Amino acid sequence: MLVTARVLYIQSQHILLPSLKQLKSRFQQYSLITNHQEMAEGVLFDIAARIIESLGSLALKETRLLCGVTDELDKLKNTVSTVKAVLLDAEEKRLVNNQVRDWLEKLKDVVYDADDLLDGFSTECLLREMMTRDKMAKKVRIFFSKSNQLVYDFKMGREIKAIRKKLDDIANDRTKFQLEERREEIGVRARKRDDTHSFVFEAEVIGREDDKKEIIKRLLSDSNLKENVGILPITGIGGLGKTTLAQLIFNDEEIDKHFHELKMWVCVSDNFDVRKVVEKILESATKKKPESVEMDTLVHGLRKEIGGKKYLLVLDDVWNEEVGKWDELKKLLMSGASGSRILVTTRSAEVARITQTIEPYSLQGLDSQKSWSLFKQVAFKNGKEPENSSIVAAGKEIVEKCYGVPLAIKTIGRSLHLKNEAAWFSFKNNKLPKIKENDILPTLKLSYDQLPSHLKQCFAYCSIFPNDYVMEKSKLINLWIAQGFIKRSNQNECLEDVGHEYFMDLLWRSFFQEAKMDDLGNVITSKMHDLMHDLAVNVQTVHTGGYIRRCNRGRLVNTAK
């Protein structure tokens, strides 16, 4: 879809398409990368809108006259418009009606086919347009001889008719489910905010004061330690705020004074390569990338930086459970002065067992009072409890289902921010009962369900990145634009500006976190929490089945990973 627009955008970014062969290659590359990304759950509405937009484009109108398929394309457009009108209601009823869910699955298959077909048709439009350009005319005329065009037109006519008939049959079935027509996404559009987005990037932390004091007490105590360097793990399930708590401790004034010689922070994640970890530690200590990545040079540099100094090192998000790898790293860190400390955050009790020299700290969920305080901060205007007692009661019931997990509380709270009473009760009665204790991903999924469809596909697309990947805002926005995800409300809007609003909306809703800013206060990078990354993968694959279907067609290669 929208191949012409994508190619024009690429050209505007000074990516040259010097030959027909390279041009065809680019189209194939875009087809492989984009098609499986566009069908994340809840985005059928936007896909249908793009099909309608493509069918109404001037370039397509001109070319379809040549192909003799005008009537079929008009019928296809009418059918897609009919289906699109009930999609939003169907997406909601899918949660409680298996027949509607099956109907949507069948619809997705045909939409895939229509999307692919119009991709090819748009490509034909562009290539025939290029026949009028002097430099490319000769090559294109050779490739698209008159006989080739006649064969293509005949084949295209048959395929359009076949897809249109399939779609007609599915569209007729909609009457069985009493689906309501909705032309816009009622109740889920992003709230309007000032251009500066009035939110705090490192939100005020509620309910972790006692945890912070206890961990600092353990870090600064020298009792019963036989080695210079003490190691204290913080354990707990994902979303509890282990990293946030470590950040609070890392920036505490008392910690600053005690470890004034050297403090280092390293995000380890699931790739525990000792050389890589040493490289990151050295970079954090020196504030610059090591010139050499040879292990001997790195080890020499590390000993020089930490030797004889009382340091604090945070190893965030450690997953490695191999004792040998940990021992190899630990030996390199033992040259610090007495009183040096390593603070490890991990979900794994086994990681805590093999790393600890100080009793691990098991982080628990927030109690009901602190959970409610956090929820009020993000769900209600100015963080104040509303006068409407029904909403307060619904809110407290919702908070109970978050089981004290701050990430779930913040994400759901922000998804309900400024919603009306009907939206609150719809959420509480229809979606909340499905959540089971200690099952956080479905809780976060509720917040994903509340997103506007244009944000759903942008978020799901981020599943292509690995865990703890630092996403550059400008590059991510350009990727969204190339995918055709960015929608302008009018032709005067800049795509990059609209993409910026999408990005900031996801950041404000806690789907992105750890935003970094430039000197002017503009966000330049962010990351996704591990659980949010799991959610993106979940909605991109499990709910769409996209990977399986495309592989069966022999078309899908997940080239982004």
Side-chain angles (χ1 to χ4, degrees):
M1 292 281 291
L2 303 177
V3 172
T4 303
R6 291 176 188 176
V7 170
L8 291 176
Y9 177 77
I10 291 169
Q11 290 174 337
S12 73
Q13 299 298 309
H14 308 293
I15 301 174
L16 300 179
L17 304 176
S19 72
L20 180 61
K21 182 178 180 181
Q22 290 171 324
L23 182 62
K24 288 173 64 186
S25 175
R26 290 283 170 88
F27 288 144
Q28 292 166 357
Q29 179 185 11
Y30 269 104
S31 178
L32 287 172
I33 294 175
T34 63
N35 287 338
H36 73 286
Q37 296 295 345
E38 293 180 345
M39 296 299 294
E41 180 186 351
V43 301
L44 271 174
F45 183 86
D46 274 8
I47 303 300
R50 290 213 301 274
I51 290 175
I52 294 168
E53 180 184 354
S54 179
L55 287 168
S57 70
L58 180 61
L60 201 61
K61 285 179 180 177
E62 292 175 351
T63 305
R64 70 188 189 177
L65 291 174
L66 298 176
C67 296
V69 294
T70 301
D71 289 343
E72 286 299 331
L73 288 175
D74 285 339
K75 291 176 182 177
L76 179 62
K77 182 179 178 181
N78 290 336
T79 304
V80 174
S81 298
T82 300
V83 171
K84 174 176 174 280
V86 298
L87 274 177
L88 295 175
D89 190 45
E91 287 289 354
E92 284 193 8
K93 289 180 177 176
R94 164 192 61 79
L95 299 172
V96 294
N97 189 319
N98 290 333
Q99 289 181 314
V100 173
R101 186 182 301 120
D102 292 341
W103 181 77
L104 284 172
E105 286 300 317
K106 293 176 183 176
L107 180 61
K108 285 176 183 178
D109 282 333
V110 182
V111 169
Y112 267 126
D113 291 333
D115 199 27
D116 288 344
L117 186 67
L118 290 176
D119 244 345
F121 203 51
S122 296
T123 304
E124 174 78 5
C125 292
L126 180 62
L127 291 171
R128 291 191 183 187
E129 179 186 342
M130 289 170 60
M131 291 177 67
T132 62
R133 301 178 186 176
D134 292 339
K135 291 183 179 180
M136 296 295 295
K138 185 176 179 181
K139 289 182 179 180
V140 175
R141 287 193 186 103
I142 291 172
F143 186 79
F144 284 98
S145 66
K146 186 175 181 179
S147 60
N148 281 340
Q149 289 185 19
L150 288 173
V151 171
Y152 179 86
D153 293 350
F154 179 72
K155 180 183 177 183
M156 180 61 69
R158 284 192 309 173
E159 291 187 3
I160 291 172
K161 188 174 182 178
I163 286 179
R164 197 260 305 165
K165 285 184 176 180
K166 285 182 183 178
L167 197 56
D168 279 344
D169 291 341
I170 294 173
N172 291 335
D173 286 342
R174 77 191 187 283
T175 57
K176 300 176 183 178
F177 312 121
Q178 298 180 325
L179 300 174
E180 298 177 6
E181 291 192 5
R182 293 189 201 167
R183 298 295 174 179
E184 295 295 335
E185 290 183 275
I186 300 172
V188 294
R189 287 290 181 192
R191 71 182 185 91
K192 180 66 178 175
R193 293 190 296 276
D194 296 334
D195 290 339
T196 55
H197 285 266
S198 55
F199 59 85
V200 179
F201 297 116
E202 296 297 337
E204 181 182 353
V205 180
I206 290 178
R208 293 304 188 195
E209 296 81 4
D210 292 341
D211 300 295
K212 175 184 169 183
K213 288 178 182 177
E214 176 59 28
I215 292 173
I216 289 177
K217 178 182 175 182
R218 295 189 190 186
L219 284 174
L220 302 185
S221 173
D222 287 328
S223 60
N224 300 323
L225 281 182
K226 298 178 182 179
E227 299 173 313
N228 287 346
V229 182
I231 304 168
L232 169 58
I234 302 175
T235 64
I237 64 171
L240 280 179
K242 298 182 294 295
T243 297
T244 301
L245 180 57
Q247 289 170 337
L248 285 176
I249 294 165
F250 190 81
N251 294 302
D252 181 78
E253 288 186 10
E254 188 176 4
I255 291 292
D256 267 340
K257 292 176 182 177
H258 193 81
F259 299 103
H260 63 89
E261 287 185 279
L262 183 61
K263 292 196 306 177
M264 299 164 288
W265 181 286
V266 171
C267 179
V268 180
S269 197
D270 50 359
N271 182 22
F272 196 91
D273 179 271
V274 174
R275 185 188 60 79
K276 272 287 186 185
V277 176
V278 171
E279 184 181 345
K280 288 182 178 181
I281 295 172
L282 190 55
E283 182 178 347
S284 180
T286 61
K287 310 305 179 196
K288 62 180 182 180
K289 283 188 173 293
E291 295 179 0
S292 171
V293 293
E294 292 295 327
M295 190 61 177
D296 285 345
T297 306
L298 292 173
V299 170
H300 177 77
L302 180 63
R303 286 177 176 171
K304 180 181 177 182
E305 291 300 324
I306 69 174
K309 295 179 183 177
K310 185 163 63 175
Y311 69 80
L312 172 66
L313 169 63
V314 175
L315 296 177
D316 184 41
D317 195 24
V318 179
W319 289 83
N320 170 63
E321 296 181 348
E322 295 183 36
V323 177
K325 284 187 176 181
W326 171 251
D327 286 344
E328 184 181 350
L329 177 64
K330 180 181 175 182
K331 290 174 185 177
L332 302 177
L333 299 172
M334 290 297 105
S335 60
S338 178
S340 294
R341 295 291 182 265
I342 300 174
L343 188 62
V344 175
T345 70
T346 181
R347 293 192 208 178
S348 167
E350 179 63 15
V351 170
R353 187 189 68 79
I354 67 174
T355 60
Q356 70 175 77
T357 62
I358 302 173
E359 182 70 21
Y361 189 85
S362 178
L363 190 61
Q364 303 300 312
L366 300 176
D367 62 31
S368 58
Q369 183 180 353
K370 291 171 181 175
S371 295
W372 179 242
S373 296
L374 178 58
F375 186 80
K376 286 193 299 182
Q377 178 182 311
V378 296
F380 303 133
K381 189 174 181 180
N382 299 322
K384 295 181 179 178
E385 194 171 300
E387 295 180 0
N388 188 326
S389 59
S390 297
I391 286 184
V392 171
K396 290 186 175 180
E397 203 170 323
I398 289 169
V399 168
E400 285 182 16
K401 283 287 189 177
C402 293
Y403 303 108
V405 178
L407 180 63
I409 294 169
K410 288 193 294 183
T411 308
I412 290 179
R414 282 175 175 154
S415 74
L416 293 171
H417 187 78
L418 300 183
K419 295 288 179 67
N420 59 29
E421 185 174 342
W424 278 74
F425 279 95
S426 174
F427 183 90
K428 179 181 78 73
N429 296 329
N430 297 329
K431 298 179 180 179
L432 209 61
K434 299 179 181 293
I435 302 305
K436 299 177 182 178
E437 188 171 2
N438 296 325
D439 199 358
I440 300 304
L441 203 61
T443 307
L444 298 179
K445 175 67 167 51
L446 297 182
S447 300
Y448 170 83
D449 290 337
Q450 294 293 103
L451 287 176
S453 59
H454 63 279
L455 291 184
K456 284 179 179 177
Q457 58 187 351
C458 289
F459 170 71
Y461 177 79
C462 295
S463 65
I464 68 171
F465 302 119
N467 277 329
D468 288 313
Y469 183 80
V470 178
M471 301 180 295
E472 292 185 36
K473 185 186 76 173
S474 59
K475 289 185 178 179
L476 179 57
I477 290 171
N478 284 338
L479 286 171
W480 287 341
I481 291 171
Q483 303 291 342
F485 292 163
I486 307 299
K487 299 191 302 181
R488 285 187 283 214
S489 58
N490 64 73
Q491 291 302 311
N492 294 325
E493 282 188 310
C494 173
L495 286 173
E496 284 82 359
D497 289 344
V498 179
H500 167 79
E501 289 297 320
Y502 287 14
F503 183 95
M504 298 302 284
D505 225 337
L506 288 168
L507 181 61
W508 183 84
R509 294 169 186 261
S510 296
F511 286 87
F512 296 161
Q513 64 176 25
E514 294 186 41
K516 303 297 181 185
M517 296 178 288
D518 60 19
D519 294 337
L520 298 177
N522 300 311
V523 176
I524 52 176
T525 67
S526 73
K527 297 170 70 174
M528 283 199 296
H529 189 280
D530 286 352
L531 280 178
M532 283 300 181
H533 184 270
D534 291 346
L535 176 63
V537 172
N538 181 276
V539 299
Q540 181 58 53
T541 56
V542 174
H543 293 283
T544 67
Y547 287 157
I548 297 172
R549 291 194 194 98
R550 307 304 271 187
C551 284
N552 286 342
R553 295 178 183 181
R555 301 179 200 171
L556 175 65
V557 176
N558 191 358
T559 55
K561 281 193 176 180

